[in-house]
Amino acid sequence: MKKMNFSRAIYCLVSLVPLFFLGCETLEPKDPRASIPGLQQYYNEALQFSLRYPRILNLKVEDRAVAGDPDIVLQLKYPGNDYPILKLATYAPSWIEEVRKPLVHGTERTLSVDTERAITFEIRNDPDDDESKMRRIIVRNFGRIYVFTGKGKTFDEVVSSFDFIDPDLEGAEQDSSS
């Protein structure tokens, strides 16, 4: 039996290390639309909305319906990452000025969220850090405001999948199918 010399063992080890890293998957893909397999749907009948999100994200929902807090806080995060891709909170309309406080002046514009008029603007958590910039989108419907906070392509995709559930239309669809 031949003994493998030290330089040959090192050569084999160095050759195999890149193969190991090629087989590893990163949790946060560079282009989520191209590499995330399938979408999951979240449906909230009480707050009258649904949205779709990449299956790889973790969904956390907290019901905080007490005085002074939002009704619900929904967060989407990559596994093992504390930074939320999207945070959705619902508030009573009286909270509109409070959720607009961190507005970066000059960034406000309008857009449509499921055919409803919404406003969007940048917010900054740390005035000295450009990386802390995020987008906030506020839309009013069904007697409450829906506040989306986040940034990036995945954030935009989840917001574009957001649908309001009109209880009158839901009842009409069920009546016509009977």
Side-chain angles (χ1 to χ4, degrees), residues 40-92:
Q40 189 114 342
Q41 183 163 9
Y42 173 76
Y43 182 87
N44 189 313
E45 190 173 352
L47 293 172
Q48 300 170 304
F49 75 88
S50 72
L51 58 81
R52 289 177 302 285
Y53 61 94
R55 193 176 305 271
I56 194 170
L57 296 178
N58 291 332
L59 173 73
K60 181 180 179 186
V61 180
E62 296 176 44
D63 188 354
R64 300 182 180 177
V66 295
D69 279 341
D71 292 335
I72 190 170
V73 175
L74 178 143
Q75 291 185 17
L76 289 170
K77 298 177 183 180
Y78 280 103
N81 191 347
D82 289 339
Y83 174 76
I85 299 298
L86 176 135
K87 183 176 178 181
L88 169 62
T90 61
Y91 297 87

Side-chain angles (χ1 to χ4, degrees), residues 15 18 30 43 58 62 79 85 95 100 104 114 116 129 132 140 152 158 161 163 169:
S15 299
K30 291 183 183 192
Y43 182 87
N58 291 332
E62 296 176 44
I85 299 298
W95 277 73
R100 290 175 52 93
V104 174
D114 188 31
E116 295 295 324
D129 183 13
S132 71
R140 291 181 195 219
V158 173
S161 78
D163 288 317
L169 291 177

Side-chain angles (χ1 to χ4, degrees), residues 6 51 53 71 94 107 133 168:
F6 183 72
L51 58 81
Y53 61 94
D71 292 335
S94 60
T107 63
K133 277 190 205 174
D168 296 333

Side-chain angles (χ1 to χ4, degrees), residues 79-147:
N81 191 347
D82 289 339
Y83 174 76
I85 299 298
L86 176 135
K87 183 176 178 181
L88 169 62
T90 61
Y91 297 87
S94 60
W95 277 73
I96 189 74
E97 291 308 314
E98 188 68 29
V99 297
R100 290 175 52 93
K101 275 185 180 176
L103 171 126
V104 174
H105 295 287
T107 63
E108 190 171 5
R109 60 185 172 87
T110 62
L111 68 124
S112 181
V113 173
D114 188 31
T115 70
E116 295 295 324
R117 184 178 170 275
I119 58 169
T120 183
F121 51 88
E122 287 183 4
I123 63 171
R124 188 174 295 161
N125 293 332
D126 181 0
D128 300 327
D129 183 13
D130 270 354
E131 290 295 314
S132 71
K133 277 190 205 174
M134 297 196 316
R135 282 186 49 218
R136 179 160 286 169
I137 299 171
I138 303 171
V139 61
R140 291 181 195 219
N141 204 0
F142 303 127
R144 66 178 46 92
I145 57 174
Y146 298 77
V147 181

